[in-house]
Amino acid sequence: MTVASAPGKIILVGEHAVVYGRPAVAVPVSQVRARAAVERASEGQGIAIIAKDLGQRILLGGEEGWRSSDPLARTVIGTLNHLGLSRGQDLTISVESDIPIARGLGSGAAVSTAIVRAMAQHFSRDLSPQEVSQIVFGVERIHHGTPSGIDNTVIAYERPIYFVQGKAVETLAVGKALNLLIGDTGESSPTKDVVGAVRRRWQQSPPRYEFLFDRIAQIAARVRQAMAEGDLVQVGRLMDENHQLLRELGVSSPLLDSLVRAASDRGALGAKLSGAGRGGNMIALVTPAKRRGLEEALLSSGAERVIATEVPPSRNGSPAAEIWKRATSFNEGTV
Ligand code: PMV
């Protein structure tokens, strides 16, 4: 059996504008992960995909199976195609994940990434993060309309990235650890709907929205620099500014705003919604000393749960590829 995993992610700054060619900064969230296991099955079984958490069992086989638009099925088919392998395989692929779904934490891209990696290992093939990202992007496109590609990229590289659609990925230097709290509103928010709503507004008033996207782009560029310099006060200020611009884009919600306010009142360095908005998550940049108090403040202000994560300072010579190869556990099971 081969096992591989992939992290969740959050967007630090730049969401939505990134769909319009502006830069954004995203970081992996390694505390929550998706895992996939691949093992050989008895001859003639075909390919079975089992996602216990989702209560899903897919058997690939027959014309209908191969045409399935299910993201797990598309991931497996995309990987076989990329590796130049026939569909006549007998495999059982099991998937599990502790990444909350539809909260802007990249759960879909992480599950796909884990499957691609586990399959590549099973067939003793080495895929670069770029290849993994490309396969997963193909799946994301089916389900998210016009994804920028930031989710699959940050998850496949498992490093903080400065991302511009269609440009080479830049992994970011981090001068000082970033302690982040991720506050979950408990409201699921389909990215496709929110991205579609922003697009309609942009079509009605391109200059206004282009102006907002440009301002967000400047923030992303300044965050890149402040992160490299370890200037967390500046990163926090820029996150606050980004939140105001996201409100102007119309993608915040009363609960997101009140969680952001609660974080600022209790001494966060900065706070903003993260991801598509209108639900999903907010993030707060905190100092270790204030972390516990802020976590409680978010929970008592209506967050359903809070995940604490740290973006470590960059070290030379820890290539992304090594991170996901670390041993991971997997609870086998069937549905
Ligand atoms: O998947 P989410 O909820 O983190 O949102 C993705 C961020 C957007 O910029 C809104 C969309 C995209 O494709 O980049």
Side-chain angles (χ1 to χ4, degrees), residues 173-208:
V174 180
K176 202 171 189 180
L178 273 74
N179 283 284
L180 292 162
L181 294 178
I182 305 169
D184 186 349
T185 61
E187 300 164 348
S188 64
S189 159
T191 299
K192 193 175 180 176
D193 297 352
V194 190
V195 169
V198 171
R199 184 164 298 275
R200 283 190 291 281
R201 289 175 190 211
W202 170 73
Q203 281 162 343
Q204 278 161 15
S205 175
R208 171 172 159 70

Side-chain angles (χ1 to χ4, degrees), residues 255-309:
L255 182 52
L256 282 166
D257 284 342
S258 74
L259 292 176
V260 166
R261 212 172 313 115
S264 302
D265 290 350
R266 290 293 292 264
L269 296 169
K272 63 182 276 294
L273 72 86
S274 176
R278 291 202 179 158
N281 283 299
M282 54 74 67
I283 53 174
L285 180 63
V286 302
T287 55
K290 294 202 171 139
R291 203 190 95 178
R292 189 49 60 86
L294 268 152
E295 215 170 316
E296 277 159 20
L298 290 175
L299 288 169
S300 64
S301 302
E304 196 180 87
R305 96 185 91 183
V306 177
I307 297 172
T309 188

Side-chain angles (χ1 to χ4, degrees), residues 134-279:
Q134 194 189 328
I135 298 168
V136 176
F137 186 54
V139 181
E140 293 274 290
R141 277 226 292 248
I142 302 171
H143 293 274
H144 297 301
T146 53
S148 61
I150 192 168
D151 280 23
N152 45 286
T153 306
V154 65
I155 289 170
Y157 282 78
E158 201 158 345
R159 297 275 287 270
I161 57 164
Y162 185 77
F163 177 86
V164 183
Q165 221 174 348
K167 297 238 173 91
V169 184
E170 186 183 323
T171 55
L172 283 181
V174 180
K176 202 171 189 180
L178 273 74
N179 283 284
L180 292 162
L181 294 178
I182 305 169
D184 186 349
T185 61
E187 300 164 348
S188 64
S189 159
T191 299
K192 193 175 180 176
D193 297 352
V194 190
V195 169
V198 171
R199 184 164 298 275
R200 283 190 291 281
R201 289 175 190 211
W202 170 73
Q203 281 162 343
Q204 278 161 15
S205 175
R208 171 172 159 70
Y209 285 84
E210 289 292 328
F211 173 72
L212 292 173
F213 296 149
D214 281 341
R215 288 188 58 195
I216 293 172
Q218 285 164 9
I219 287 175
R222 290 164 67 199
V223 162
R224 168 173 63 171
Q225 191 181 341
M227 274 174 77
E229 290 167 355
D231 185 349
L232 301 185
V233 171
Q234 173 72 341
V235 174
R237 250 187 236 133
L238 292 164
M239 287 169 64
D240 289 341
E241 254 182 64
N242 194 174
H243 184 71
Q244 291 313 319
L245 293 167
L246 287 162
R247 293 188 66 205
E248 288 187 48
L249 284 182
V251 298
S252 193
S253 72
L255 182 52
L256 282 166
D257 284 342
S258 74
L259 292 176
V260 166
R261 212 172 313 115
S264 302
D265 290 350
R266 290 293 292 264
L269 296 169
K272 63 182 276 294
L273 72 86
S274 176
R278 291 202 179 158

